[in-house]
Amino acid sequence: MAKTVIGAALAAALAAAAAFAADDGGPAKNRFGALTGPASGAPEAIGGYARGCLAGAAALPEDGPGWQTMRPSRNRAWGHPETVAFVARLGEASLALGWPGVLVGDMSQPRGGPMTSGHASHQVGLDVDIWLTRPGEERMSRAERESRSAVNKVAPDRRRVAASWTDDHARLIRAAARDPGVARIFVNAAIKAELCRWAPPGDREWLSRVRPWWGHDHHFHVRLACPAGSPSCEDQAPPAAGDGCDATLDWWFSDEALNPPPPKEPPKPRRPLSMADLPPACAAVASAP
């Protein structure tokens, strides 16, 4: 009898989730972007970094001993508890380097999912942007956090780092890349090249997790591996072997990468993700109390 009741309840829940996905014809970003608090339940990253959601999210406080969150009005300082713990560890590492902490940009929305602007990833609570701007000794006001801009650390020619780059920036990225929970760090190619020049022989293993990607000249993007307790989370394939300071990096400074020819026809806009594009469990996450 008990199994029958449980089975009926589960079937009803799945039917409701399917109906929710089918009836919602709008972009999933509108649904997830409107949610202001987390879904109840155990923490779980569901799906892929660019096609998923987050249950049981934890909020990163606006202020911590080694961090300050930026743009708090965006309500994107949520993540899997492992991500919040990572930020705390990186904050401690920054203090040990002599920084007054780190500035934290976007993490995820309260229930993850597609964002209304700015990111294709950051959907499962395992991504976090760390500004490359060194904070001042004094804590910023909320108004300053809303208005202050990050500092570009890449030179105008996009082939080298800016004059304001320091070895401490390299040490901070190295500290993040050495963290056992980190799967990848995305940086501008010029920053990757500088790290390749800076890292000494015998201390280069962490470089394999630092990957070049477009943008990322004001911040570095940390991506954590899928944590325990998230069986539906989809890890990326491991990065290629080696430190990445090879011909694959050289391509990023070619004319093809830096000065691509204009497209013959305007690119077609991408269709925004719908609820049906996400894992079925995300419908329940979006509708949960």
Side-chain angles (χ1 to χ4, degrees), residues 118-192:
H119 303 281
S121 59
H122 290 253
Q123 293 193 28
V124 294
L126 299 173
D127 294 289
V128 53
D129 290 340
I130 304 296
W131 284 22
L132 285 164
T133 305
R134 180 182 175 126
E137 297 294 334
E138 298 294 327
R139 291 272 166 164
M140 285 183 283
S141 67
R142 208 169 196 271
E144 287 174 317
R145 298 184 201 196
E146 294 288 356
S147 61
R148 187 166 295 182
S149 297
V151 177
N152 188 346
K153 296 298 178 181
V154 176
D157 66 3
R158 293 178 290 164
R159 295 179 179 277
R160 53 195 171 83
V161 292
S164 59
W165 177 268
T166 68
D167 286 352
D168 279 348
H169 290 95
R171 293 186 181 100
L172 181 65
I173 294 174
R174 180 177 63 181
R178 284 174 167 174
D179 189 278
V182 169
R184 272 177 174 73
I185 293 177
F186 300 105
V187 298
N188 184 282
I191 293 175
K192 169 70 177 187

Side-chain angles (χ1 to χ4, degrees), residues 11 20 35 38 50 60 92 107 109-110 123 135 146 165 171 181 266 277 285:
F20 179 92
L35 297 167
L60 179 72
E92 289 180 1
M107 293 171 58
Q109 298 174 138
Q123 293 193 28
E146 294 288 356
W165 177 268
R171 293 186 181 100
D277 292 320
V285 169

Side-chain angles (χ1 to χ4, degrees), residues 4 15 38 55 64 66-67 71 78 80 85 121 127 133 146 153 170 180 184 193 197 206-208 225 237 240 250 263:
T4 302
W67 73 84
R71 308 291 188 267
W78 297 82
H80 190 282
S121 59
D127 294 289
T133 305
E146 294 288 356
K153 296 298 178 181
R184 272 177 174 73
R197 287 189 287 269
W206 56 275
L207 281 169
S208 66
D250 294 340

